[in-house]
Amino acid sequence: MNSPYRIPIVRSILLVLADGATAAAALAVALSLHLGGLDAIAGYGPLTQWLLLLSGARMGTTLLFGIQRWSFRFSGLNEALRVGLAGVAGTAAFCAALAASRTALPATGVLVSELLLALLGMLTLRFGPRVIWIHRLERDRVRDGAVQRVLIAGAGASGELLLRDLARSRDHSYLVLGFVDDDAHKQGTVLAGRPVLGTLASIPALVPKHRIELVLIAIHPLPAPRLRELLSICSSLQVRFKMLPPSHAFGLRSGSSDLRSLAPEDLLPRTEVGFSTSARAQWVAGRSALVTGAAG
C-alpha cells in the first residue's frame, strides 16, 4: 500500500535536485555571457569545482529555507520571498566555500548574473506549473462555450481572493474580465492579472462593451442604499448579481460555492428582524392581526 506522503517526498527531492541543476546551468550561461560564448568556458578557471560547490550550496539553502516543500496551488508572495532569500544565501554560501578552500571566485558580474538566472529558474519551476494549469482551465472553459462573462465589483482583499480561488477551481463557468471599484487610487491598476475597468457607476457602460452577464459583488460592507442605487443603475440591463457573504470581509477563502443571489435583507437599511419561536408566538398564533404603520 502506497504511503500518502510518498508523492510529496518525491516531489521535494526532485525540487532539490532541480535547484542544483538550475544553479549549474545558470553559472554556465553567466560565464558564457561574460566570456562571449559557451566554447570559451571550457577549461576556464576551476570550472568543475565551481559547478559542484554552487550546486551543493543551492541545494543546501533550498533545504535550509524549506522551499522544497512547495504548494504549487496556493503559494504566493511570502513563498516567493523565501525563494529570493534562499537564492542570495546560496550565492553567499558558494562564495564562503570558495574563500575557505582558497579557490578563486568568478568575476562579480558572473556571480550577479548567475544569481539572477538561478532565481528566474527557481521561480519558474515553482510558479510555472500553476500558471500553465490556470491557463488551461480558462482555455477549456472558453472552448466549451458555456462561460459566463463576469465583472467583480470590489478590487479589495475580498475581490482578489475571489478571483484567485475562481481561477483555481473547476466547479464553475465564470470568465472574469475585470473589476470595478469606487476607489480612485485603484483606477487603471491590474489586480491578480485582471484590470480595474472603472467605478460602480460605469457598470452600465461596461456591460454591453464586454458582454457582461453576471456581476459578483465582493464589497463589504456595501450599504443597502448603495446596493439599491447600483441595482437601479443596472435595472435596464440583462445582468444578474451575486455576492459574497460578509464573513469573507475578514480574509477567509472564497469560491464559487460561497456566492449567493441577492436576498431581500441585503436591500434593507436596517438589521433583519427575527421572529421569536418561543411561547410568546402563541399570542398571535391562529389570530387575525392588524399592523399599523407603513414600516411594519
Side-chain angles (χ1 to χ4, degrees):
M1 182 173 169
N2 291 332
S3 168
Y5 300 105
R6 183 174 180 273
I7 292 178
I9 290 174
V10 171
R11 184 173 62 195
S12 295
I13 293 173
L14 291 175
L15 271 177
V16 172
L17 295 175
D19 284 347
T22 298
L27 179 59
V29 173
L31 283 171
S32 70
L33 293 174
H34 180 71
L35 298 174
L38 284 173
D39 295 338
I41 71 174
Y44 177 80
L47 181 60
T48 301
Q49 191 171 356
W50 285 348
L51 292 173
L52 291 175
L53 283 176
L54 181 60
S55 296
R58 289 260 180 263
M59 290 190 288
T61 51
T62 291
L63 292 169
L64 179 64
F65 283 82
I67 57 174
Q68 83 284 4
R69 299 190 299 271
W70 192 263
S71 171
F72 287 97
R73 189 174 181 185
F74 296 111
S75 52
L77 182 60
N78 289 334
E79 289 75 22
L81 179 60
R82 281 197 295 132
V83 173
L85 292 174
V88 173
T91 298
F94 171 60
C95 293
L98 290 179
S101 63
R102 299 181 181 277
T103 304
L105 274 71
T108 302
V110 172
L111 290 174
V112 172
S113 298
E114 186 281 327
L115 174 59
L116 296 177
L117 291 169
L119 286 177
L120 177 61
M122 293 163 70
L123 290 170
T124 301
L125 282 171
R126 287 160 172 80
F127 287 101
R130 185 173 72 185
V131 171
I132 294 171
W133 181 63
I134 290 175
H135 174 73
R136 289 185 62 185
L137 282 180
E138 187 170 294
R139 184 195 62 188
D140 290 344
R141 279 194 286 267
V142 173
R143 185 177 58 190
D144 291 342
V147 295
Q148 300 180 66
R149 300 173 69 86
V150 170
L151 199 62
I152 296 180
S158 295
E160 184 204 16
L161 278 175
L162 175 59
L163 175 59
R164 292 189 185 279
D165 285 341
L166 289 177
R168 287 190 289 257
S169 174
R170 296 178 179 272
D171 302 328
H172 64 86
S173 59
Y174 301 151
L175 177 62
V176 178
L177 299 178
F179 295 88
V180 288
D181 199 289
D182 284 340
D183 188 342
H185 296 94
K186 295 176 181 176
Q187 301 305 311
T189 61
V190 176
L191 184 65
R194 294 294 187 274
V196 178
L197 298 170
T199 63
L200 297 184
S202 65
I203 291 179
L206 294 173
V207 167
K209 179 179 179 180
H210 298 282
R211 306 194 307 278
I212 301 298
E213 303 171 70
L214 178 66
V215 176
L216 304 180
I217 301 174
I219 304 174
H220 300 289
L222 182 62
R226 188 72 179 98
L227 181 56
R228 292 198 301 272
E229 179 185 349
L230 175 61
L231 295 180
S232 176
I233 291 173
C234 302
S235 60
S236 61
L237 305 173
Q238 294 183 342
V239 60
R240 295 179 295 112
F241 291 85
K242 286 189 175 183
M243 67 188 307
L244 285 172
S247 61
H248 291 285
F250 300 102
L252 301 177
R253 302 208 74 84
S254 53
S256 57
S257 60
D258 300 304
L259 293 164
R260 59 178 176 82
S261 299
L262 294 182
E265 53 266 26
D266 295 322
L267 306 176
L268 293 175
R270 56 170 173 79
T271 303
E272 181 185 4
V273 176
F275 291 97
S276 173
T277 57
S278 65
R280 295 181 181 179
Q282 301 300 318
W283 295 352
V284 294
R287 300 182 180 182
S288 300
L290 174 65
V291 179
T292 61

